[in-house]
Amino acid sequence: MGLQQIIFLLLLGITAYLAFKRYGAVKRNIFLGQEEDISDNKGQRWKNVFLVALGQKKMFKRFIPAILHFFIYAAFLLTQIELIEIILDGLTGNHRMFASSLGGFYTFLISFIEILSVLAFVATLIFLWRRNMLKLPRFHKAEMNGWPKLDGNLILYGEILLLIGIFTMNGADSLLQSIDPQHFPATGNLAVSSWLGPALFGGLEVSTLHFLERAGWWLHLLVILGFIYYLPISKHLHIFLAFPNVYFAKLRSRGEMENMPVIMKEVKSMMGLIPETEADASEELPEFGAKDIFDLSWKNILDAYTCTECGRCTSVCPANLTGKKLSPRKIMMDIRDRAEEVGKIIDSDSEKTKDNFDDGKSLFDYITKEEIHACTACNACVEACPVMIDPLEPILKLRRYEILTESAGPAEWVPMFTAIENTGSVWQVPDARDKWAQEFNANLEEEKQ
Amino acid sequence: MKVRTVAELTAEGKAPDILFWVGCAGSFDARAQKVTVALCKILNEAKVNFAILGTEESCTGDPARRAGNEFVFQMTAIQNIETLNGYSIKKIVTACPHCFNTLKNEYPALGGNYEVIHHTQLIQSLIEEGKLTVESGEFKGKKITYHDSCYLGRVNDIYETPRQILQNLDADLSEMKRCKSKGLCCGAGGAQMFKEDEPGDKRINRERADEIVETGAEIVAANCPFCITMLSDGMKAKEANVMVYDISELIVQSNNL
Ligand code: SF4
Ligand code: SF4
């Protein structure tokens, strides 16, 4: 076994170990949320995965960014086919193992990846320009300062490095094929590297070419391993999580808020509609709504980890558009940040579990009441999200906590609540509810006469 | 035809084909009462056998639920379901998209199952069945824009029906930049109607009023009593001369009912 293989194996092992820990922590954090059974309607769910996650249907509401994003995404997915070969190369030391067995199809496949990669390269440059030079408001909101901004750029730099790696490797390789056909199997004419290679590296020493080919190979590999390690702390986790997130997205009507059966039973028994025993009146009523991530559902936390921080939700939010503090993207980022914080504490203290956790903090240390009070429940954020995240549900759960458990909330709402309770109307009015009808009927009488 | 209550009909051994759910705004708000009356005139014109619950109706509970007060929501909702089920109501029409949404989507989980339609849906089907003809009268050639309410549009996916009705007016329909699934909220939803806006640069209804004025329309057609209040306030604050009407009111005016 050569030195390269040993280093390769070592790297692969370390990455696998670190990735296992990091992705494991993400999964654990997601399931810090409440159980929710989402196993219905599999057909519709798979359909969403194909259309929305794989087909990026919701992205295509804005065509130009959608097509550019699609190039990067498709190039990223398909380069992984080449990665299989790269890994086999690293393990066995045999170069381009599929070239001879696949023949013409191999040429086609690699050419296809190369063309996509060029498109992805162009798209990446445009995205870097868009993110940094073009002052798109949604990329420059307060919640994007610091790490989120750097994160958005890092992946683009990474993508560029990756593409440089691929083309250096394939370019040098295309020259080496004629010099050393035994180690470098013929690939046929590749769409890009067959001319880019000679154009860039033509006339170089054979040893330099060998070095370039390996350098490209290592660069490609290191960037990919780096990605794997980096994704769990990045918004780019959506590359993986978009699929399950879309699969588990809510299918019931957007207009239906989650029912609270405990309260329903309590009220029904108060009204004498069901016997008291059924409502478990003896038990103390639990806390209602959500104060921390433990009270959200696991799907709410999966939403947060899937958020791409694209800000499509915030850019259509009526509250945010008119200068209110509320930003649905920030809500999702806050939930993820809180889940990370809780996860780190649990990791560092083996005594702490989901059930006895208490660090004196909660989601309300991240999200202010002012933010949740500003929401009009308009569902624009839900409609806008390309990966089917529902930022409204956690907002409403936080409101439930504030009103039901803390008995707090905007003072102006209290008269509305009391009016409904006492008079059955949102306003306390002295008139009968059908006064208008009496007047309508009286007018009819008059007209007749 | 007089407006009758279900209780009155029941006493006579009769039943309505459809219940008109009036809602709090439609019952008490002076502006929304006009929409209620307009819809009654249309239903009479099309000879629909309808009735109201009258004093037996309560708030559906939408604003309480969205504010977070599940107790108040459940109390009023369960009360309503008891009443509706007691009269074996099968079909409901309402001129309020919030009532519409709550009755249609949220009452089933509590034991209330009805066929619920919004008044624009009923009007459109009356037109299709030939029971109602909309005359292109005074709105011919006038520039009208349409405001999608969140709970009829984005939440319940009803975008085209109201527009189809408006087509009959022979008016010059023009869309706002933010329309249909991208329509901008009027600012009333999520119980905002009952409190001041949180601190910000602008009120949401002012933003929407600006967009309406941008189209150059003389009239904005709406489908929700709360949107009508919000948009009218926005126009007043802007001192803009755009009239805000419910779709049913436009029909009543056009047909001289
Ligand atoms: S539902 Fe709330 S958070 Fe979402 S866009 Fe509307 S106002 Fe903003
Ligand atoms: S919630 Fe959806 S729309 Fe909003 S920033 Fe995250 S991914 Fe984008």
Side-chain angles (χ1 to χ4, degrees):
Chain A
M1 194 184 274
L3 182 63
Q4 172 178 305
Q5 276 155 285
I6 294 173
I7 300 178
F8 174 82
L9 268 178
L10 222 59
L11 260 178
L12 207 62
I14 294 171
T15 315
Y17 172 73
L18 290 175
F20 180 75
K21 280 191 75 169
R22 279 205 165 186
Y23 288 87
V26 169
K27 187 174 164 206
R28 193 261 332 271
N29 293 352
I30 289 171
F31 288 106
L32 291 175
Q34 299 274 323
E35 272 175 43
E36 185 184 347
D37 177 32
I38 312 178
S39 53
D40 58 326
N41 225 328
K42 297 204 167 59
Q44 182 58 40
R45 293 183 183 283
W46 279 112
K47 205 172 140 201
N48 284 347
V49 170
F50 277 106
L51 289 176
V52 180
L54 208 61
Q56 317 220 314
K57 182 175 147 203
K58 294 198 119 195
M59 286 290 285
F60 276 90
K61 283 189 192 158
R62 296 187 191 179
F63 188 76
I64 293 175
I67 200 86
L68 294 174
H69 178 268
F70 191 81
F71 288 152
I72 298 186
Y73 154 82
F76 183 85
L77 272 189
L78 286 172
T79 356
Q80 307 323 315
I81 302 178
E82 227 185 331
L83 189 71
I84 301 175
E85 210 182 39
I86 289 185
I87 290 179
L88 288 175
D89 186 344
L91 289 175
T92 63
N94 279 332
H95 196 61
R96 293 207 184 270
M97 288 175 73
F98 300 142
S100 47
S101 54
L102 293 179
F105 182 66
Y106 186 84
T107 312
F108 167 77
L109 197 66
I110 302 293
S111 291
F112 190 71
I113 293 175
E114 284 197 348
I115 291 172
L116 260 178
S117 300
V118 172
L119 292 172
F121 191 75
V122 176
T124 308
L125 293 178
I126 296 177
F127 275 167
L128 271 171
W129 167 76
R130 179 176 76 143
R131 203 164 259 279
N132 297 294
M133 315 295 263
L134 197 73
K135 287 276 172 249
L136 263 191
R138 69 182 158 109
F139 290 136
H140 300 277
K141 296 268 171 190
E143 67 264 24
M144 295 308 285
N145 290 337
W147 167 247
K149 185 166 183 216
L150 179 66
D151 183 21
N153 281 318
L154 273 182
I155 195 105
L156 294 173
Y157 297 138
E159 182 75 25
I160 289 183
L161 278 181
L162 180 70
L163 295 169
I164 292 176
I166 293 179
F167 284 116
T168 310
M169 179 179 86
N170 282 1
D173 180 273
S174 72
L175 289 167
L176 286 166
Q177 284 176 28
S178 49
I179 301 169
D180 184 2
Q182 243 202 307
H183 287 104
F184 294 89
T187 56
N189 246 332
L190 296 180
V192 179
S193 51
S194 290
W195 58 267
L196 188 69
L200 289 177
F201 311 131
L204 291 180
E205 295 272 335
V206 178
S207 58
T208 317
L209 286 176
H210 271 286
F211 173 77
L212 281 173
E213 197 277 333
R214 277 300 91 177
W217 185 90
W218 274 108
L219 185 62
H220 184 158
L221 188 80
L222 286 174
V223 173
I224 293 283
L225 294 183
F227 269 170
I228 292 175
Y229 185 61
Y230 150 85
L231 286 183
I233 54 161
S234 159
K235 69 176 185 122
H236 296 95
L237 196 51
H238 77 267
I239 295 174
F240 300 131
L241 293 190
F243 295 89
N245 199 62
V246 165
Y247 180 87
F248 290 113
K250 179 162 109 177
L251 295 181
R252 66 168 194 267
S253 163
R254 274 180 196 164
E256 186 189 355
M257 270 176 76
E258 193 191 14
N259 194 25
M260 299 180 80
V262 181
I263 297 186
M264 181 176 75
K265 281 188 191 151
E266 175 77 13
V267 171
K268 282 190 177 173
S269 91
M270 259 165 44
M271 294 169 74
L273 299 172
I274 51 171
E276 243 172 65
T277 41
E278 245 182 79
D280 268 339
S282 54
E283 266 177 56
E284 214 182 300
L285 286 180
E287 287 200 342
F288 294 115
K291 167 191 183 191
D292 210 342
I293 51 160
F294 309 102
D295 313 313
L296 296 173
S297 74
W298 67 271
K299 176 62 174 70
N300 295 142
I301 306 177
L302 176 62
D303 271 353
Y305 273 100
T306 308
C307 178
T308 73
E309 295 171 18
C310 69
R312 281 172 171 76
C313 52
T314 295
S315 73
V316 295
C317 170
N320 194 276
L321 277 169
T322 53
K324 318 290 188 301
K325 265 205 193 129
L326 172 65
S327 159
R329 166 175 59 190
K330 175 179 173 291
I331 302 287
M332 301 322 294
M333 292 167 70
D334 286 340
I335 294 172
R336 179 170 177 174
D337 287 348
R338 174 63 183 156
E340 283 289 301
E341 182 182 54
V342 170
K344 288 212 177 88
I345 296 175
I346 291 181
D347 280 334
S348 64
D349 181 350
S350 56
E351 304 271 284
K352 288 220 160 81
T353 65
K354 170 179 174 167
D355 302 309
N356 66 12
F357 190 90
D358 184 12
D359 63 347
K361 287 170 89 183
S362 74
L363 266 177
F364 286 108
D365 291 289
Y366 289 77
I367 302 169
T368 60
K369 302 272 165 86
E370 183 180 329
E371 289 164 65
I372 58 168
H373 294 168
C375 176
T376 71
C378 73
N379 276 274
C381 50
V382 182
E383 169 76 29
C385 182
V387 286
M388 294 180 92
I389 289 169
D390 182 349
L392 176 56
E393 193 172 282
I395 293 176
L396 294 174
K397 286 181 179 172
L398 291 166
R399 278 190 180 177
R400 279 178 167 171
Y401 181 82
E402 191 192 18
I403 300 274
L404 297 170
T405 307
E406 293 186 316
S407 301
E412 295 152 282
W413 276 346
V414 178
M416 182 255 291
F417 296 149
T418 350
I420 297 179
E421 258 192 273
N422 297 338
T423 68
S425 157
V426 284
W427 300 288
Q428 191 99 36
V429 261
D431 297 337
R433 203 175 173 96
D434 59 354
K435 188 171 169 236
W436 67 270
Q438 291 159 15
E439 285 168 9
F440 182 89
N441 292 343
N443 281 343
L444 280 186
E445 288 292 322
E446 258 174 51
E447 274 169 34
K448 265 192 206 160
Q449 282 166 11
Chain B
M1 279 289 285
K2 282 188 177 182
V3 176
R4 315 285 311 270
T5 59
V6 183
E8 287 165 5
L9 292 189
T10 311
E12 294 166 15
K14 294 184 202 147
D17 294 335
I18 190 163
L19 173 79
F20 172 22
W21 184 275
V22 188
C24 297
S27 300
F28 296 114
D29 178 83
R31 177 68 190 84
Q33 280 175 346
K34 295 194 175 141
V35 179
T36 307
V37 168
L39 183 56
C40 287
K41 286 183 178 167
I42 292 173
L43 295 178
N44 277 345
E45 172 76 10
K47 307 207 163 44
V48 177
N49 169 22
F50 76 100
I52 60 171
L53 280 178
T55 51
E56 289 183 279
E57 184 188 283
S58 282
C59 173
T60 56
D62 159 86
R65 187 170 231 198
R66 274 154 192 79
N69 200 330
E70 188 73 3
F71 264 108
V72 169
F73 166 73
Q74 293 281 351
M75 283 193 310
T76 186
I78 292 168
Q79 181 67 54
N80 281 326
I81 291 170
E82 282 300 298
T83 310
L84 292 167
N85 290 354
Y87 285 124
S88 310
I89 298 293
K90 302 264 156 6
K91 197 168 174 185
I92 304 176
V93 63
T94 173
C96 171
H98 293 272
C99 295
F100 166 69
N101 178 69
T102 299
L103 291 166
K104 178 176 193 276
N105 296 319
E106 299 195 313
Y107 278 21
L110 278 61
N113 293 288
Y114 321 101
E115 183 192 345
V116 186
I117 55 174
H118 184 252
H119 72 313
T120 54
Q121 294 176 300
L122 179 61
I123 290 173
Q124 177 61 18
S125 60
L126 291 175
I127 295 173
E128 278 168 13
E129 290 161 20
K131 293 184 178 149
L132 181 73
T133 348
V134 180
E135 281 142 38
S136 75
E138 63 178 279
F139 301 110
K140 200 170 174 157
K142 281 204 177 153
K143 201 160 195 180
I144 297 184
T145 189
Y146 171 69
H147 167 80
D148 290 276
S149 68
C150 305
Y151 276 75
L152 192 64
R154 210 160 25 239
V155 173
N156 284 293
D157 264 321
I158 299 168
Y159 301 112
E160 293 311 325
T161 310
R163 287 178 167 80
Q164 281 166 359
I165 301 176
L166 291 172
Q167 292 292 345
N168 294 303
L169 298 173
D170 254 346
D172 171 13
L173 283 183
S174 59
E175 294 286 355
M176 284 177 260
K177 242 192 331 213
R178 295 196 184 103
C179 65
K180 299 187 183 168
S181 67
K182 295 193 183 114
L184 182 72
C185 176
C186 71
Q192 297 296 327
M193 182 73 193
F194 304 94
K195 64 186 258 303
E196 281 302 312
D197 275 26
E198 297 303 312
D201 311 329
K202 197 175 181 182
R203 296 172 127 248
I204 296 173
N205 58 342
R206 280 297 306 267
E207 175 81 9
R208 191 55 165 169
D210 286 348
E211 292 183 346
I212 292 167
V213 170
E214 250 174 58
T215 63
E218 294 167 63
I219 291 170
V220 53
N223 60 51
C224 167
F226 298 103
C227 295
I228 291 177
T229 304
M230 280 295 185
L231 299 181
S232 306
D233 287 353
M235 290 305 165
K236 246 179 255 155
K238 236 181 116 59
E239 295 181 358
N241 201 15
V242 180
M243 301 305 291
V244 188
Y245 286 120
D246 186 84
I247 291 181
S248 61
E249 293 179 298
L250 295 176
I251 296 178
V252 168
Q253 285 182 42
S254 201
N255 282 19
N256 246 325
L257 291 178

